[in-house]
Amino acid sequence: MTRLVECVPNFSEGRNQATIQALIDAVASVMGVRVLDHSIDWDHHRSVLTFVGDPEAVIEAAFRAIRVATDLIDLRKHAGVHPRVGATDVVPFVPIRGTTMQDCVQLAKRLGQRVGRELDIPVFLYERAASHPHHAALESVRRGGIKGLAFRLASDPDWFPDFGPARLHRTAGAIVIGARPPLIAFNVNLCSTDLPLAQLIAKAIRQSNGGIPHLKAIGVELASRHMVQVAMNLTDFEVTPIHVAYEAVQAQAALCGVGIAGCEIVGLVPRAALLAAAVDALSLDHFDPAQVLESRIEAGLPLEDAGSIPPEPNALKERSVLQLLDSVAAATPIPAGGTAAALVGALASALGVMAARVGRQHANEHRLGEIGRRLRDLMEADGEAYRTFVEATKLPKTDPHRPTALSSALHIATEIPLEIAEQSSEAGALLHVCSSRVKPRVRSDLKVGLLLAIAAGEAGLHTAKENLKIQLNQRLRLALAPRVQQVSQYLEELKGLCYTPPLSHPGAKTNIEQASPGKVRKRNEWKSKYSITTSKKRSKLRRKSSRAKGSFGN
């Protein structure tokens, strides 16, 4: 059975089309993921993506989108009617087929850990993934908005994040990640501009104020449409169907002499929810869901044929060494340099895992294993990024979407080799740490691993720089520049660790060819400046998040 998980991230951006397209492209760049829908609202200043796929692919797609949002969305400049605490505000995982809620809880925790570690953003787990009862309800985390959450982070021990620092990210705020059942975002627009009225109706019908079970509601102003809205989330449509929520708003509005201007569903909705509303509206007797044509057709098909995502045949990381070498040598542009760099970095990590196991360094073994697995995934991702870029270049020059498509494709094509460089650099640092705690016979292997890590890092960095040169979006170039500079610094440090000054003895002449004073002086500077050369503790080479930045379902 195909394993499918749905992810519905909400981003605090509903106006900049280039940014929204970059988010969509980030998700679509992951093989095995299908983008099903995206919704945008100017007044809410919010966009919602819906995508499904294999659990591993979905978690990777979610991280890439979060990273793009962190690069491009600056909450300090954000103004929208929807409550929020982050550039990527909330990321829920929903079990669809062949997966359980517990599977989604584990995905939420893995994603949260990676976001906290690599992007330096505080992460709160919510709904079924919550580790603290005060964090379970999304509205509890959002209470008081950004300022309210910042105050609780600074003053209340119960509000220490599950992952990441105990402070808000300067531009991206915080992120709420969790697991939940399917949710319906259902909004009712009123023939009125009276915001207090919409807020009063929302308060009267929501569960938290003694209203309808499994119904959350807020009143918001839609300035661009000259009306107000009761925005709702139905967290269990089987208990509270759509038509029940609608009738509740309609009844309250009628008491105030206000009519309904219309309704909207944000994102996707389960078929059963619409069927229930239709049955109620038509007063159908003895209706059987099997009477729906599409349902009857799908029931007769094997699961593999009923809209599932076919697995990618013969993925690079599943090929033999000979097959992989033949693929690189083939007269095709994919796989090429990025794949080779990721492979070399993975080999370096594997040598580190071996040494860490021999030396019983369990923490280093675990982290190097994570890096190796990540680099194996990036082998495939590099080729997909290149394909996306090539497709963008084929768009007619008169196509108004061409600049945005090229910019987004180049962004992903730069992010991937840059991450290869970052992961390889961290692997190199850990290899150096391992070498001080293993037997001499293993140190030679670690030195080989360190040289490989440097080579992979340099290769990834070179590709990233080359792609940045042709990136016309200045904002993206500025956002990635600090990461390029930092990984360059790490690689220079690692090179210093590979240099060994010649042994000298009394009366010996200095061999200028072997060790120039400049090189020795520079190495001493690295020793004094960086922690890797002065500490035997594990170096995490944590990336700083000093990046430039330029209604819906939860």
Side-chain angles (χ1 to χ4, degrees):
M1 178 183 293
T2 303
R3 302 179 71 229
L4 289 181
V5 168
E6 178 189 42
C7 187
V8 195
N10 290 216
F11 301 98
S12 297
E13 177 57 71
R15 301 171 185 175
N16 188 315
Q17 289 294 333
T19 297
I20 295 167
Q21 188 60 49
L23 294 168
I24 296 170
D25 290 344
V27 172
S29 69
V30 178
M31 194 180 312
V33 167
R34 179 181 296 169
V35 178
L36 299 179
D37 182 71
H38 70 276
S39 301
I40 306 167
D41 191 283
W42 177 279
D43 296 296
H44 287 250
H45 204 350
R46 195 172 184 83
S47 57
V48 178
L49 302 187
T50 303
F51 57 93
V52 296
D54 175 84
E56 294 301 318
V58 165
I59 196 173
E60 172 62 22
F63 180 80
R64 289 192 193 178
I66 292 169
R67 185 167 56 188
V68 170
T70 305
D71 283 342
L72 301 182
I73 300 174
D74 188 343
L75 278 189
R76 297 172 301 178
K77 303 174 183 178
H78 188 278
V81 298
H82 199 287
R84 70 242 170 230
V85 293
T88 304
D89 189 50
V90 58
V91 182
F93 293 99
V94 183
I96 297 297
R97 185 168 63 207
T99 53
T100 65
M101 186 63 71
Q102 190 55 39
D103 292 332
C104 290
V105 168
Q106 293 306 313
L107 290 179
K109 291 180 178 179
R110 286 173 54 196
L111 178 63
Q113 183 180 44
R114 187 176 175 192
V115 168
R117 181 183 68 240
E118 297 187 28
L119 302 183
D120 206 30
I121 300 174
V123 176
F124 294 89
L125 298 175
Y126 86 116
E127 284 286 352
R128 305 293 179 85
S131 58
H132 194 290
H134 293 170
H135 304 173
L138 184 58
E139 57 267 29
S140 296
V141 184
R142 285 186 181 147
R143 180 165 42 88
I146 286 284
K147 292 182 179 179
L149 182 57
F151 175 79
R152 293 192 295 278
L153 275 169
S155 61
D156 189 344
D158 286 342
W159 280 92
F160 195 85
D162 294 282
F163 303 103
R167 51 168 174 72
L168 295 178
H169 187 280
R170 184 172 61 93
T171 57
I175 299 180
V176 190
I177 301 176
R180 60 160 174 77
L183 175 148
I184 299 173
F186 178 59
N187 303 331
V188 178
N189 301 328
L190 305 178
C191 296
S192 172
T193 57
D194 188 349
L195 179 58
L197 170 64
Q199 294 171 333
L200 184 65
I201 293 174
K203 183 177 180 180
I205 65 173
R206 63 191 175 213
Q207 179 179 353
S208 61
N209 288 100
I212 301 172
H214 302 287
L215 176 64
K216 300 179 180 182
I218 57 173
V220 298
E221 179 185 14
L222 304 181
S224 68
R225 288 183 266 180
H226 307 291
M227 62 178 64
V228 292
Q229 179 184 85
V230 179
M232 295 174 283
N233 283 339
L234 307 180
T235 58
D236 191 336
F237 69 88
E238 293 181 347
V239 176
T240 300
I242 293 175
H243 62 272
V244 170
Y246 172 80
E247 290 165 0
V249 175
Q250 185 182 46
Q252 291 292 325
L255 291 175
C256 303
V258 173
I260 303 298
C263 305
E264 60 187 27
I265 290 175
V266 180
L268 302 184
V269 59
R271 178 187 294 165
L274 293 180
L275 284 177
V279 169
D280 179 79
L282 298 173
S283 300
L284 294 177
D285 294 327
H286 312 298
F287 178 78
D288 185 345
Q291 291 176 256
V292 177
L293 174 64
E294 290 82 1
S295 298
R296 182 63 63 89
I297 292 172
E298 290 170 6
L301 293 175
L303 287 174
E304 295 77 30
D305 297 330
S308 63
I309 299 174
E312 181 72 11
N314 200 17
L316 283 176
K317 62 183 179 181
E318 296 173 358
R319 298 180 189 180
S320 69
V321 173
L322 288 178
Q323 288 174 326
L324 183 58
L325 292 175
D326 287 343
S327 297
V328 173
T332 59
I334 305 171
T339 297
L343 174 61
V344 171
L347 285 172
S349 301
L351 285 171
V353 170
M354 175 274 294
R357 286 173 176 169
V358 170
R360 300 180 183 276
Q361 302 177 39
H362 301 300
N364 289 335
E365 175 191 342
H366 175 73
R367 181 59 189 141
L368 281 163
E370 287 183 333
I371 293 172
R373 288 188 291 274
R374 178 69 189 133
L375 286 167
R376 291 200 297 272
D377 290 338
L378 291 172
M379 288 169 55
E380 203 86 50
D382 181 76
E384 287 304 306
Y386 182 76
R387 286 191 187 95
T388 302
F389 173 70
V390 170
E391 289 301 315
T393 62
K394 293 179 180 178
L395 292 173
K397 293 185 178 180
T398 55
D399 189 331
H401 301 293
R402 190 175 192 270
T404 298
L406 281 172
S407 176
S408 298
L410 266 177
H411 187 193
I412 300 299
T414 306
E415 284 271 11
I416 289 171
L418 183 55
E419 186 179 353
I420 291 172
E422 291 167 337
Q423 297 282 351
S424 300
S425 298
E426 183 178 352
L430 292 172
L431 286 160
H432 173 71
V433 172
C434 287
S435 66
S436 63
R437 296 161 55 189
V438 296
K439 294 180 180 179
R441 66 175 182 270
V442 182
R443 288 178 188 157
S444 175
D445 296 314
L446 286 174
K447 183 65 172 289
V448 170
L450 179 56
L451 291 168
L452 290 176
I454 293 171
E458 287 281 10
L461 185 62
H462 168 76
T463 303
K465 287 180 176 179
E466 289 298 306
N467 288 342
L468 274 179
K469 289 179 182 178
I470 56 175
Q471 173 61 262
L472 298 180
N473 188 324
Q474 186 64 19
R475 189 176 181 185
L476 283 174
R477 295 179 68 174
L478 291 173
L480 294 174
R483 289 172 61 191
V484 169
Q485 182 179 3
Q486 190 166 43
V487 76
S488 299
Q489 176 181 324
Y490 289 157
L491 287 169
E492 287 302 312
E493 179 184 359
L494 291 176
K495 291 175 192 175
L497 300 177
C498 292
Y499 170 72
T500 304
L503 296 175
S504 60
H505 56 273
K509 294 183 179 180
T510 302
N511 188 333
I512 298 178
E513 299 259 339
Q514 287 182 313
S516 67
K519 287 186 177 179
V520 175
R521 182 171 62 254
K522 194 169 185 181
R523 182 169 186 267
N524 290 335
E525 289 174 2
W526 283 328
K527 279 190 174 183
S528 64
K529 187 174 181 181
Y530 300 115
S531 61
I532 294 178
T533 58
T534 57
S535 172
K536 293 184 180 181
K537 294 182 179 180
R538 176 187 173 205
S539 170
K540 295 184 179 179
L541 279 181
R542 190 163 184 168
R543 181 165 75 241
K544 298 179 182 177
S545 293
S546 54
R547 304 179 177 190
K549 302 279 191 286
S551 85
F552 291 147
N554 302 310

